[in-house]
Structures are given as C-alpha cells and as structure tokens.
C-alpha cells in the first residue's frame, strides 16, 4: 500500500500534512508520519492500515483521511 505525501482532511474536519511512511523498528509495520495543521502543530504516527481505512459516518463509508492536495516535490531515499 502506498500513500502520497501532501495535505489531508480528517473526516471530522481538521487538516494534516502527511510527511511520509516509516517502518516501526521492532515490528516493521508501516506507519504514517503526519503533522496537525492546527493547535500546537504536533507530529503524529498512525499505522498505515488505520490511516487509509474507511469509517461509517451517518450510514455512509468515508475515508478516515482524504487527500486534498498532493505535494509536488516528494522524494524517496
């Protein structure tokens, strides 16, 4: 599963900047590294599978995080 770095909106409304995907050092699980674009602008990680899942909102399945705009300058190491 791949994830495009860029600007995302959480289904509850707040926006986040996805930095990229990292691997957990012990389990090798893929984790999304992202930053809140509100409040203290904290950095967070969440398993890729949970970041990309859908949630039920009033009987409709919607993405937990929806891409608003992809970053033009992304790179791989």
């Amino acid at each position: 599963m791949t994830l495009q770095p860029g600007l995302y909106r959480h289904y509850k409304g707040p926006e986040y900047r996805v930095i990229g995907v990292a691997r957990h050092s012990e389990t090798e699980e893929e984790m999304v590294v992202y930053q809140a674009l509100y409040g203290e602008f904290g950095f967070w990680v969440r398993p890729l599978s949970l970041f990309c899942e859908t949630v039920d909102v009033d009987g409709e399945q919607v993405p937990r995080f929806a891409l608003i705009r992809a970053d033009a300058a992304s790179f791989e190491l």
Side-chain angles (χ1 to χ4, degrees), residues 28-52:
E28 295 192 15
E29 181 179 14
E30 292 181 303
M31 308 290 283
V32 178
V33 180
Y34 61 106
Q35 181 181 23
L37 298 179
Y38 62 92
E40 295 181 13
F41 293 83
F43 287 90
W44 298 88
V45 295
R46 179 187 295 253
L48 178 61
S49 60
L50 295 179
F51 192 93
C52 294

Side-chain angles (χ1 to χ4, degrees), residues 6-73:
L7 182 64
Y8 285 76
R9 179 171 290 118
H10 188 267
Y11 76 98
K12 293 182 180 177
E15 293 182 357
Y16 297 86
R17 166 100 30 227
V18 168
I19 309 303
V21 177
R23 283 204 186 271
H24 188 287
S25 64
E26 299 295 322
T27 66
E28 295 192 15
E29 181 179 14
E30 292 181 303
M31 308 290 283
V32 178
V33 180
Y34 61 106
Q35 181 181 23
L37 298 179
Y38 62 92
E40 295 181 13
F41 293 83
F43 287 90
W44 298 88
V45 295
R46 179 187 295 253
L48 178 61
S49 60
L50 295 179
F51 192 93
C52 294
E53 73 182 355
T54 59
V55 295
D56 184 76
V57 177
D58 298 326
E60 180 182 351
Q61 291 293 308
V62 298
R64 181 178 297 279
F65 290 90
L67 179 64
I68 297 171
R69 185 179 65 247
D71 281 349

